[in-house]
Amino acid sequence: QVQLVESGGGLVQPGGSLRLSCTASGSIFSINAMGWYRQAPGTQRELVAMITWGGISNYADSVKGRFTISRDNAKNTVYLQMNSLKPEDTAVYYCNANLRVISTPFFNNYWGQGTQVTVSS
């Protein structure tokens, strides 16, 4: 019923920038929040940033001051602007949406398939 489509991943040099996008589509009734998680090989998935549809955002300490999350409510889209990228940012980035579908009276989490971000010289 819900699909999250991600774009914007790729290879960048340290200090460079990338902008990730994620659009939710399907039988969506309401979005509570969307965000980005990442997972490097051998590590657990961690929250990078999230934003509520009311505009409240939070970030992992490791990305504060470098990453900016934003959303377009009308497009069911969340963005992650990543600046001053470091090799430690290398990971698969997963889009997450906390939303209600039309047929269900509660919020649930949905995931994108992930997009690779590699920061290397």
Side-chain angles (χ1 to χ4, degrees):
Q1 286 187 298
V2 176
Q3 184 179 27
L4 303 182
V5 179
E6 303 162 333
S7 64
L11 173 65
V12 295
Q13 297 182 83
S17 298
L18 282 175
R19 190 187 192 220
L20 305 183
S21 299
C22 175
T23 298
S25 62
S27 302
I28 299 170
F29 179 79
S30 181
I31 296 176
N32 178 50
M34 294 182 70
W36 294 92
Y37 292 70
R38 67 186 182 188
Q39 185 170 202
T43 71
Q44 293 188 334
R45 188 174 299 185
E46 65 173 350
L47 175 68
V48 178
M50 65 177 296
I51 187 167
T52 71
W53 244 228
I56 301 172
S57 60
N58 58 72
Y59 301 86
D61 288 342
S62 59
V63 307
K64 286 181 179 178
R66 300 187 297 122
F67 292 9
T68 302
I69 191 167
S70 60
R71 86 282 190 248
D72 186 331
N73 294 28
K75 296 181 178 180
N76 292 342
T77 297
V78 65
Y79 307 94
L80 186 67
Q81 179 67 46
M82 304 185 293
N83 298 327
S84 302
L85 282 161
K86 305 175 180 179
E88 306 92 89
D89 296 316
T90 297
V92 178
Y93 284 68
Y94 296 90
C95 179
N96 174 81
N98 183 251
L99 57 82
R100 276 189 58 189
V101 296
I102 294 173
S103 61
T104 306
F106 56 87
F107 287 85
N108 214 333
N109 284 311
Y110 299 85
W111 294 92
Q113 291 189 337
T115 183
Q116 178 70 47
V117 172
T118 302
V119 184
S120 176
S121 59

